[in-house]
Amino acid sequence: MITVIANLKGGSGKSTVAFNLSVWLEKHGRRVVGYDLDPQCTLSDLGMLRKDIGNKPYLTIHSVRAVLQEQLKSHDDAEVIVDVGAANMAAMKEAMSAADRILIPVPPSQADVWATQRFLHIIGPDLNVVKMNGSQQIMAFVNRADTNKAIRETHETESALKMLPGIDIVLPHRLKMRTNFRRSLSEGLTVFEMWPRSKAAEEFHTLATALYPDVVGK
Ligand SMILES: Nc1ncnc2c1ncn2[C@@H]1O[C@H](COP(=O)(O)OP(=O)(O)OP(=O)(O)O)[C@@H](O)[C@H]1O
Ligand SMILES: [Mg+2]
């Protein structure tokens, strides 16, 4: 399955989710082929850092500026995870056209909801990505959610996402704002490797299981 993790706005957590998801899948016995189409190369840097440190499983990540749909579709026996950035719209379009699903992490703010709305417009009416393929599932979830329940933005963002035309599923499995994500990343590690019993690890496992329900227990 080809999962493209995308959003127009920077810093929404695309690379963090792509990285944690890739390692999670490998640890559950799935072969992963990663594509880093972002000139910032965060995902490939993380993959290299893991190798430097000797932290297995190592990740297979293709760091490329251009990719063809056929190439992405050629990994029948692997889960394909694609990290894209708005800085490379041509590659983003190609990857999203090949995708089985597009996963959009959205931080809890009105500006992020607007950016997501614009993104949906770009992949729909503007670029025709969705129309050309027609079978991609468009999924969104709130990343960096407030840990304080009294703060309304997380709930409001989730409700706003549910109203946006173009999103098929708003996953209820939020990742909260946890410094563990940032800290583990700087060590080339996932949250569940560094702090297996942390809330961040638990939340991530719940999200990953919702995305790949047939992986756990195999
Ligand atoms: N749930 C979270 N809690 C706390 N920090 C997070 C969370 N998700 C991501 N971050 C941190 O936010 C920063 C931005 O995340 P990341 O680089 O994954 O975003 P991105 O969407 O890939 O950004 P860019 O568009 O620049 O590629 C990183 O420092 C990351 O560790
Ligand atoms: Mg990134």
Side-chain angles (χ1 to χ4, degrees), residues 11 13-16 36 38 40 42-43 83-85:
K14 299 179 290 290
S15 303
T16 304
D36 187 354
D38 188 342
Q40 292 182 95
T42 311
L43 186 60
D83 184 14
V84 300

Side-chain angles (χ1 to χ4, degrees), residues 23-45:
V23 177
W24 186 88
L25 284 164
E26 287 276 353
K27 286 205 170 236
H28 284 86
R30 286 289 174 99
R31 205 168 76 77
V32 176
V33 178
Y35 280 85
D36 187 354
L37 303 180
D38 188 342
Q40 292 182 95
C41 301
T42 311
L43 186 60
S44 10
D45 282 348

Side-chain angles (χ1 to χ4, degrees), residues 7-17 38 40 42 83-86 105 143-145 175-183 185:
N7 197 335
L8 266 192
K9 223 162 163 227
S12 55
K14 299 179 290 290
S15 303
T16 304
V17 171
D38 188 342
Q40 292 182 95
T42 311
D83 184 14
V84 300
N143 184 32
R144 310 167 71 123
L175 296 181
K176 290 190 179 163
M177 182 73 179
R178 311 260 182 219
T179 48
N180 285 357
F181 277 103
R182 218 172 39 228
R183 289 197 193 137
L185 225 59

